[in-house]
Amino acid sequence: MERRTPRSRVHAAGSRFGYVWVALALVLVAAGMRLVGVVAGTNVMTGLPENRTTVGAALVDTSSQAATGIGLAVTGTILAALFTGDISATNWTAHQAAAFQTGVTVAGFAMTVAAALLVAVGMTRARSARQAR
């Protein structure tokens, strides 16, 4: 029988569905983010006068960077609040592995809810602007 190292136990406990499914989910999220980013950037740029496109490009880039930073900060804060111990340790207990998994799940859910709220606000504002015309 093969003996698992503490690190391999952590990786095995870190995903309920296995790494292949996590990797597939990450690829899909990245592709979706890229698609949405391109569409959003294009919409901003087409709505600007020609002499303001450089400012628009800078704002699109800045907002993307700010959103990434905020997302990382929120995710890290939630994970730090729910995980106890040294995250770089090579031998996590079963409780720590479960706490890490819970932290990742809660952080992912929180970011999904935040994104959904932002989309809802954007859609509401777009409808209001369209009706005002």
Side-chain angles (χ1 to χ4, degrees), residues 4-95:
R4 287 188 161 188
T5 65
R7 180 65 76 181
S8 65
R9 274 186 249 131
V10 169
H11 290 297
S15 169
R16 293 184 180 112
F17 304 111
Y19 181 75
V20 172
W21 294 108
V22 171
L24 178 63
L26 290 173
V27 166
L28 291 174
V29 167
M33 287 174 58
R34 193 72 226 151
L35 181 66
V36 169
V38 168
V39 171
T42 301
N43 284 337
V44 168
M45 299 303 285
T46 57
L48 293 174
E50 200 170 310
N51 64 344
R52 297 285 188 194
T53 55
T54 54
V55 172
L59 286 174
V60 167
D61 187 46
T62 301
S63 64
S64 173
Q65 295 295 324
T68 299
I70 291 168
L72 285 171
V74 168
T75 301
T77 301
I78 292 171
L79 190 56
L82 296 177
F83 181 81
T84 57
D86 183 9
I87 200 163
S88 63
T90 58
N91 53 351
W92 287 359
T93 64
H95 175 71

Side-chain angles (χ1 to χ4, degrees), residues 111-121:
M111 295 307 297
T112 302
V113 169
L117 289 173
L118 288 172
V119 167
V121 168

